[in-house]
Amino acid sequence: MSAFKTFAKAGHWPTLFAAFLYFDFCFAIWVLNGAMAPFISESFGLTPAQKGFMISVPILAGALMRFPLGVLAQYIGRKNAALVEMSLIVAALGFGFFLVDSYDAVLAMGVLLGIAGASFGVALSLGSGWYPAKYKGLAMGIAGAGNSGTVLAVLFAPPLAQKFGWQAVYGIAAATMLLPMLVMALMAKEPPDVEHQSFRQHIGCLFEKDGWAFSLIYIVTFGGFIGLASFLPTYFHDQFKVSKIEAGQLTMLATLMGSAVRVVGGALSDRIGGVHTLSGVLLLSALSLVACGFAGGSLVLTTLCFMLCFAAFGAGNGALFQLVPLRWPLSTAVAGSMIGEVGALGGGFIPNAMGQSMQHSGSYLWGFLAFALLALAMLAMLRVVQIRWTRTWAEKGGRARVAPAQADEEPVAYQRA
């Protein structure tokens, strides 16, 4: 308890809470089509490949929108950028409520839902911006736990869709966005960790090897989380013939595990280092993905394997974003958005791979195996690049470098700012 009080005093907790709530609701909107996919698929009689593509569209659109929002946040502030984004989300959901009535319109709606997926880098930078380096992993883990919005989507969207129709869920979701907008406007304060830079400096991480190494690893951790979270309602419904509402409830068990463990991943990385944590995460991700593929005959075993898999993804997301502010302390929002963009693009691989695997082989197994091989490849890359990381900008294992003379003063300096 005393450690938590020390952490809370080191920064501005109302801003951290506002960032969490903002990301949480945006994440729920982002995966809305995935949560309602069994209803949408039934309405239009979609093939497995069409289902996979439909689910991947919001993921891909959100990925492409992340970096521009991160750059915008550098110019107008992260709080203002968040408020602008949430206003656009409400307008997009209005389009879904009034105008979506065909498969093509669903795809267009998927692009608009991508606006919500752009929130990632801004939310994490806003939430952690008041905290010193030694607490950033935990702060980012708390803000990033907003990916629990997936739980909201898969838990509430299916029963609402069954009762009122899936188009009506877009209108209901628009009304819920007023809560995080109000909290953001009243409680959040722009963090002091801002330095005016040129556009070239803002996008500098695009031209660095470290930026791309982080992005490739994030394809596994976050891409795996968002891709599987969006596809699981369809997977459970098609593979085990459970009801649409039960499919959402089973998905909730897995995604809740991933969201909760993200905070643990950030805190663990503060203690032992993000590199050490990521190494274990990538190995566990590969093993659990293979287990998910071979457990397709048992609903209970499959659910348990997915929970383990999502726990690995969640811890990996927290670990990776403990490292980002250490590597890019003055442009965390832009770096986070760029890394998140590539990672989320990788998330679009999973629904498509699963759909193609089922359509051409009659099984989802090959989709799981392909992603497991990618996780092992990223583990091999990490073990190579971490040698340079720990020689230049991080301590052994990926911990924060803090000068001994400044260790006790840093939290006070941030709080005073």
Side-chain angles (χ1 to χ4, degrees):
M1 182 61 70
S2 61
F4 179 78
K5 289 181 179 179
T6 302
F7 165 75
K9 291 179 180 179
H12 189 252
W13 70 263
T15 300
L16 181 58
F17 173 72
F20 163 79
L21 202 65
Y22 154 59
F23 188 39
D24 194 57
F25 277 72
C26 285
F27 213 98
I29 301 302
W30 191 21
V31 300
L32 205 53
N33 275 3
M36 298 192 299
F39 294 91
I40 299 172
S41 300
E42 187 176 73
S43 294
F44 303 115
L46 305 183
T47 66
Q50 286 177 316
K51 293 177 188 179
F53 181 67
M54 176 195 71
I55 294 169
S56 71
V57 168
I59 301 173
L60 298 173
L64 295 174
M65 294 178 189
R66 284 185 169 194
F67 185 72
L69 185 68
V71 174
L72 177 66
Q74 293 285 322
Y75 288 99
I76 70 172
R78 284 155 282 189
K79 176 179 176 178
N80 290 333
L83 290 170
V84 168
E85 183 194 13
M86 285 187 278
S87 299
L88 292 175
I89 291 170
V90 172
L93 290 169
F95 167 83
F97 179 68
F98 289 108
L99 300 175
V100 173
D101 57 1
S102 67
Y103 177 62
D104 289 341
V106 170
L107 296 181
M109 185 62 197
V111 175
L112 294 178
L113 290 179
I115 298 171
S119 60
F120 175 77
V122 173
L124 267 66
S125 178
L126 176 65
S128 67
W130 284 96
Y131 290 86
K134 68 177 182 179
Y135 291 124
K136 281 192 182 292
L138 179 56
M140 282 200 162
I142 293 173
N147 60 20
S148 60
T150 306
V151 176
L152 298 178
V154 299
L155 193 59
F156 292 107
L160 288 172
Q162 184 161 296
K163 185 172 183 179
F164 301 107
W166 57 268
Q167 294 94 335
V169 178
Y170 294 130
I172 297 170
T176 66
M177 286 302 299
L178 299 178
L179 175 61
M181 290 179 70
L182 185 63
V183 171
M184 181 66 69
L186 297 180
M187 295 181 63
K189 292 173 62 176
E190 188 68 20
D193 61 337
V194 177
E195 181 175 297
H196 294 291
Q197 298 173 318
S198 67
F199 180 76
R200 172 74 181 187
Q201 289 173 311
H202 285 157
I203 64 172
C205 57
L206 284 172
F207 305 98
E208 299 180 27
K209 293 180 180 178
D210 286 353
W212 291 103
F214 275 56
S215 298
L216 291 172
I217 295 171
Y218 203 54
I219 286 176
V220 175
T221 60
F222 181 75
F225 182 94
I226 184 64
L228 275 180
S230 298
F231 190 75
L232 279 190
T234 297
Y235 178 79
F236 280 123
H237 180 64
D238 291 352
Q239 182 76 9
F240 298 104
K241 310 304 178 185
V242 299
S243 71
K244 301 179 184 69
I245 294 177
E246 288 173 335
Q249 293 169 342
L250 290 168
T251 302
M252 179 269 294
L253 292 176
T255 56
L256 184 60
M257 179 68 72
S259 300
V261 175
R262 178 165 189 151
V263 179
V264 177
L268 183 63
S269 297
D270 284 336
R271 180 176 294 272
I272 69 171
V275 171
H276 285 334
T277 306
L278 277 174
S279 297
V281 158
L282 290 171
L283 179 59
L284 181 58
S285 297
L287 295 175
S288 58
L289 282 165
V290 173
C292 289
F294 283 103
S298 169
L299 177 59
V300 173
L301 185 57
T302 296
T303 303
L304 293 175
C305 288
F306 276 128
M307 292 176 69
L308 180 62
C309 185
F310 273 79
F313 290 154
N317 291 333
L320 190 139
F321 275 90
Q322 177 262 348
L323 295 171
V324 170
L326 304 184
R327 180 61 182 81
W328 294 280
L330 298 179
S331 56
T332 302
V334 173
S337 294
M338 188 275 284
I339 293 165
E341 181 167 337
V342 178
L345 282 172
F349 164 81
I350 291 183
N352 281 300
M354 294 297 181
Q356 293 294 334
S357 178
M358 172 56 74
Q359 183 138 336
H360 294 291
S361 71
S363 169
Y364 291 112
L365 174 63
W366 297 108
F368 287 112
L369 293 181
F371 208 68
L373 288 174
L374 179 62
L376 292 176
M378 293 306 101
L379 174 59
M381 181 195 71
L382 173 65
R383 300 316 301 169
V384 173
V385 299
Q386 62 89 24
I387 298 173
R388 177 168 50 82
W389 291 357
T390 53
R391 288 176 178 172
T392 54
W393 51 267
E395 291 291 348
K396 184 178 180 180
R399 289 173 294 170
R401 287 184 171 180
V402 180
Q406 298 175 351
D408 295 331
E409 299 175 3
E410 194 173 14
V412 178
Y414 269 70
Q415 182 69 8
R416 187 178 298 129

